[in-house]
Amino acid sequence: MYRVKRKSSQVSFRDEVEAVELTVSEEAFAGMVSVAEPPAAAWPARLEAALKEPVGSPPLTELARGHKRVTIIVPDATRGVPVADILPQVVTELTDGAIGLEQITVVVATGVHRPATEAEITALLGPLAGKVKAINHNPYDVSQLVYLGTTSCGTPVEVNRTVYESDFRIAVGKVEPHEFAGFSGGRKAVLPGIAGERTIETNHRPEMLLVPEARPGVLAGNPVSEDMDEAAAMLGVDFIVNVVQGAGGQILGVFAGALQAAHRAAVEFMRSFCTVELGEKPDIVVTTPGKPLNIDLYQSLKAVIALGEVVRPGGAIVLYSACPDGLGTTDMFKPYQGAGRLEDVIANLKANYKIQMDHALLVCKVLARGVTVLATSPNVPAAAWEKIRFRSASSAQEALDRALATCPQAAPRVLFYPQPQRTLPRVTGGDHPPQIQGAGWVRFKKGV
């Protein structure tokens, strides 16, 4: 998917996903980070085993028996979870427990994303299309929400009425590092997945996001994550199926069972291979979010946010992404209106906060470190990049060349780091070259 090779005195980086190729001099090439993933899990055997021997829970067939209305919460298309491969086996376990297909409703956990299209819902259901009912969650229609109370963080919890009125609830999702919730999966199926707009907005508010513990890899003491845990407990989720996926989308692990226990088991599995230790901060990092986050600008920014503490202050990040859905949101751009400094953007954001302004806040934190971001996409106008204080380029190679030409370091080094949001990078300090643990590190020595 991502590879580098030497061409005379140059190094070529190739991205098969985006069909992008970049070249840099051998002297400037610092390396490429590629996580050393576990082997793909046997499929569907691993899923079947996880359902039969769940974590902290009786088997699904036994647990579901006797219930009348079952909802299965599934992620939308932006998450890239192979729902169509998971649902049939989950439904088989339910029918083995005397649950009829007519008793099952699949709810697409859109959060505040756009509704899933008919084609997307058909793709999510796979062989179950037309056999079980499927609906989109709507976070804006209060008639479709039920108020459960307020969390200890002050978040008013409103959830999807269909899910609330069911007497057995299953959540399907995936676990990977998350920019402010620590890790995705588990409780996130409820908040933000099937929560109301004001619930999500309160949980994602700036005061929560600015807490130091609200960052990738941290669960304990993370107010965003703990608030999500509390909201999920208020609703009650009876069983989860969480997967851990590789960079290419392949299933590496399956964790089913009780919400907390199965989610934490998936988190520990993810931690076992996603940590990346860098011996120094690179001058320039070239990155891309990969699928499915390359769907739009808003989601693509997760790659930049993940690198905020990695690149050297005063250095540069080069971002390229296809963004076939364009911007993804307009709310993120509103805090920039009339703002001169980054501080003004943050002030505007705090005064008139909307959910999808969260990435504007996190991007400002990156830029405040003196980092320059040069970005390119065939489906994002230059004005949109410039609005969020990035520098636009017509191609990834142009962006890289400009980053090299303007870097204040005398001999800048370039690190290629695709899909950084799937990793937990940590800069350890020390002498050059960087040492990588838990990841593959590709470099070339002179004369080799």
Side-chain angles (χ1 to χ4, degrees):
M1 182 163 28
Y2 305 103
R3 57 185 174 84
V4 292
K5 64 180 180 180
R6 184 178 178 181
K7 291 182 177 180
S8 184
S9 61
Q10 299 231 314
V11 174
S12 172
F13 166 83
R14 175 71 181 176
D15 176 348
E16 303 292 348
V17 176
E18 298 268 5
V20 167
E21 185 163 345
L22 298 168
T23 59
V24 67
S25 69
E26 185 177 341
E27 289 74 18
F29 177 66
M32 181 183 77
V33 176
S34 176
V35 172
E37 298 173 340
W43 192 266
R46 183 67 193 90
L47 173 61
E48 293 168 359
L51 293 173
K52 297 295 185 186
E53 299 181 5
V55 181
S57 166
L60 180 56
T61 296
E62 177 184 333
L63 200 63
R65 195 177 300 276
H67 291 282
K68 303 300 182 185
R69 301 175 67 179
V70 177
T71 49
I72 306 175
I73 306 167
V74 302
D76 66 17
T78 65
R79 297 303 177 240
V81 178
V83 174
D85 295 330
I86 297 170
L87 276 184
Q89 188 59 42
V90 171
V91 170
T92 295
E93 295 292 314
L94 292 174
T95 56
D96 286 349
I99 302 294
L101 293 180
E102 72 282 358
Q103 296 173 260
I104 300 170
T105 301
V106 174
V107 179
V108 182
T110 56
V112 290
H113 300 166
R114 64 164 174 78
T117 64
E118 268 189 50
E120 287 171 340
I121 291 177
T122 298
L124 287 170
L125 295 179
L128 292 170
K131 298 179 181 179
V132 298
K133 182 180 179 181
I135 63 171
N136 275 305
H137 169 60
N138 185 341
Y140 306 106
D141 185 350
V142 293
S143 70
Q144 296 183 36
L145 302 172
V146 175
Y147 174 68
L148 302 182
T150 302
T151 69
S152 55
C153 284
T155 299
V157 179
E158 294 175 326
V159 298
N160 181 277
R161 182 174 294 277
T162 298
V163 178
Y164 171 78
E165 291 178 349
S166 64
D167 61 352
F168 193 81
R169 306 177 188 100
I170 301 169
V172 175
K174 75 172 178 181
V175 170
E176 65 182 7
H178 187 274
E179 61 267 31
F180 53 78
F183 286 91
S184 63
R187 73 281 186 242
K188 283 187 89 264
V190 175
L191 174 55
I194 56 150
E197 179 189 23
R198 71 170 182 151
T199 303
I200 304 170
E201 189 171 295
T202 306
N203 173 262
H204 288 33
R205 64 189 183 272
E207 295 89 340
M208 299 276 268
L209 302 190
L210 290 172
V211 173
E213 289 78 14
R215 58 188 172 89
V218 177
L219 294 177
N222 182 334
V224 179
S225 178
E226 292 178 349
D227 198 44
M228 291 173 174
D229 279 332
E230 192 173 343
M234 291 168 69
L235 171 66
V237 175
D238 299 284
F239 198 87
I240 71 167
V241 180
N242 275 189
V243 298
V244 174
Q245 295 174 259
Q250 70 276 25
I251 301 296
L252 304 179
V254 185
F255 301 84
L259 188 151
Q260 282 278 1
H263 180 249
R264 295 310 190 260
V267 164
E268 292 312 307
F269 177 70
M270 186 79 204
R271 283 191 197 276
S272 71
F273 66 88
C274 76
T275 300
V276 174
E277 294 190 351
L278 300 173
E280 69 170 10
K281 295 188 175 186
D283 305 306
I284 299 169
V285 181
V286 177
T287 193
T288 186
K291 290 184 176 179
L293 297 183
N294 66 349
I295 190 169
D296 58 40
L297 180 150
Y298 175 81
Q299 297 291 345
S300 295
L301 291 176
K302 292 185 178 185
V304 172
I305 294 163
L307 294 170
E309 298 294 327
V310 172
V311 68
R312 188 191 306 278
I317 296 172
V318 171
L319 170 71
Y320 66 89
S321 182
C323 301
D325 280 11
L327 304 182
T329 178
T330 56
D331 280 349
M332 195 189 79
F333 298 89
K334 292 177 181 177
Y336 294 90
Q337 294 174 5
R341 304 168 302 159
L342 292 177
E343 292 85 350
D344 299 328
V345 178
I346 295 173
N348 289 347
L349 187 149
K350 288 181 176 180
N352 304 283
Y353 189 67
K354 296 294 181 184
I355 301 163
Q356 291 186 313
M357 294 179 184
D358 54 355
H359 284 183
L361 175 62
L362 299 175
V363 163
C364 282
K365 289 174 65 176
V366 176
L367 298 179
R369 298 180 62 247
V371 174
T372 299
V373 182
L374 298 98
T376 183
S377 171
N379 296 299
V380 174
W385 295 124
E386 302 288 345
K387 183 78 171 177
I388 60 173
R389 312 300 168 89
F390 289 7
R391 298 179 184 176
S392 64
S394 60
S395 69
Q397 186 66 57
E398 179 196 327
L400 175 55
D401 291 342
R402 284 170 55 190
L404 285 164
T406 57
C407 184
Q409 298 295 321
R413 308 295 304 284
V414 178
L415 176 67
F416 292 90
Y417 199 158
Q419 296 187 324
Q421 75 282 350
R422 299 191 67 256
T423 71
L424 294 176
R426 186 167 71 94
V427 180
T428 60
D431 297 330
H432 183 82
Q435 300 298 311
I436 302 295
Q437 296 178 8
W441 181 244
V442 182
R443 296 185 74 249
F444 294 106
K445 295 181 180 178
K446 203 169 181 98
V448 176

